[in-house]
Amino acid sequence: MNRFSSLAAELRGIPRLTAESARETRSVRSLTGTSMLMALSVLLNQFTIFISALIRVSFTFLPIAAAGMLFGPVLTGLAGAAIDILKYFTRNDGSAFFPGFTISEFMRGFLYGLILYRKPVTLGRTAAAHLSVMVVVTFLLNPLWLSMMYGQAFVALVGMRVVKNLFLFPIEVAMLYALLKATATIRARALV
């Protein structure tokens, strides 16, 4: 019952958390920090590994998640959308620009921010944040956009992603947890 009441309290706090995050858009410090993490994400995009035309391995989620923890869902969602546009111009792999992926990247940043912003860094919370992004963005939105673009079956596109993501999930969560712990430690030292 304690976990249920804790979850209910977090859900009730979403409007307040979102409003606090929206105020981050007026802070020069937050905008500067987000910009640096955006630049890092665009840089990491240059090292994306293409498994096929529809499946790739990338570490651009790491700076997005760190921004979500530091600056919240609103600013990080906006940053995610801007990063998608910047990635298109800096590494165009021949595919046409599709605004659906910009929505996906907004949701990625928003979800990381919603789950990680002003919360203690725990392995469970990190895994929950990454799992929510995986389900909403990787298994639902991105296959939907690809299905719309290429006319392939949605279920087939999801199936291809499940195998890759089940394999990578523990590795990505471990990397994300280490990054978030280090970020929290650095932030705590800077505030002292």
Side-chain angles (χ1 to χ4, degrees):
M1 192 65 169
N2 189 19
R3 283 189 176 183
F4 179 74
S5 62
S6 174
L7 178 63
E10 280 200 36
L11 291 175
R12 281 191 307 272
I14 288 175
R16 178 189 50 77
L17 184 81
T18 305
E20 289 174 10
S21 174
R23 282 192 289 276
E24 296 277 1
T25 60
R26 291 182 251 153
S27 164
V28 173
R29 180 184 228 176
S30 298
L31 292 173
T32 305
T34 303
S35 298
M36 288 191 295
L37 290 169
M38 287 173 61
L40 182 59
S41 184
V42 171
L43 178 68
L44 286 173
N45 186 55
Q46 301 302 315
F47 301 101
T48 297
I49 302 165
F50 291 87
I51 296 172
S52 73
L54 301 174
I55 298 198
R56 46 186 86 172
V57 176
S58 175
F59 299 106
T60 59
F61 70 94
L62 292 168
I64 297 294
M69 183 187 86
L70 295 170
F71 308 116
V74 174
L75 186 55
T76 308
L78 294 171
I83 288 169
D84 180 65
I85 295 166
L86 289 170
K87 288 190 303 190
Y88 174 75
F89 287 114
T90 59
R91 183 178 183 171
N92 187 353
D93 57 3
S95 59
F97 178 78
F98 187 75
F101 293 113
T102 306
I103 294 169
S104 292
E105 292 305 317
F106 174 86
M107 285 304 300
R108 179 184 313 275
F110 190 83
L111 287 170
Y112 277 129
L114 200 60
I115 297 171
L116 300 172
Y117 184 56
R118 298 199 174 168
K119 305 284 189 330
V121 178
T122 64
L123 186 57
R125 183 172 296 280
T126 304
H130 198 59
L131 182 63
S132 70
V133 168
M134 187 182 296
V135 169
V136 172
V137 176
T138 307
F139 294 156
L140 294 176
L141 291 177
N142 285 350
L144 175 65
W145 310 139
L146 290 169
S147 174
M148 290 169 64
M149 288 174 67
Y150 299 115
Q152 294 185 338
F154 176 81
V155 174
L157 291 167
V158 172
M160 293 180 347
R161 292 166 178 276
V162 167
V163 174
K164 177 197 93 158
N165 284 287
L166 287 178
F167 173 74
L168 287 177
F169 183 75
I171 298 165
E172 290 177 344
V173 167
M175 289 187 328
L176 185 56
Y177 179 68
L179 173 71
L180 295 178
K181 280 302 249 188
T183 303
T185 301
I186 292 168
R187 184 174 190 205
R189 287 182 185 161
L191 293 176
V192 172

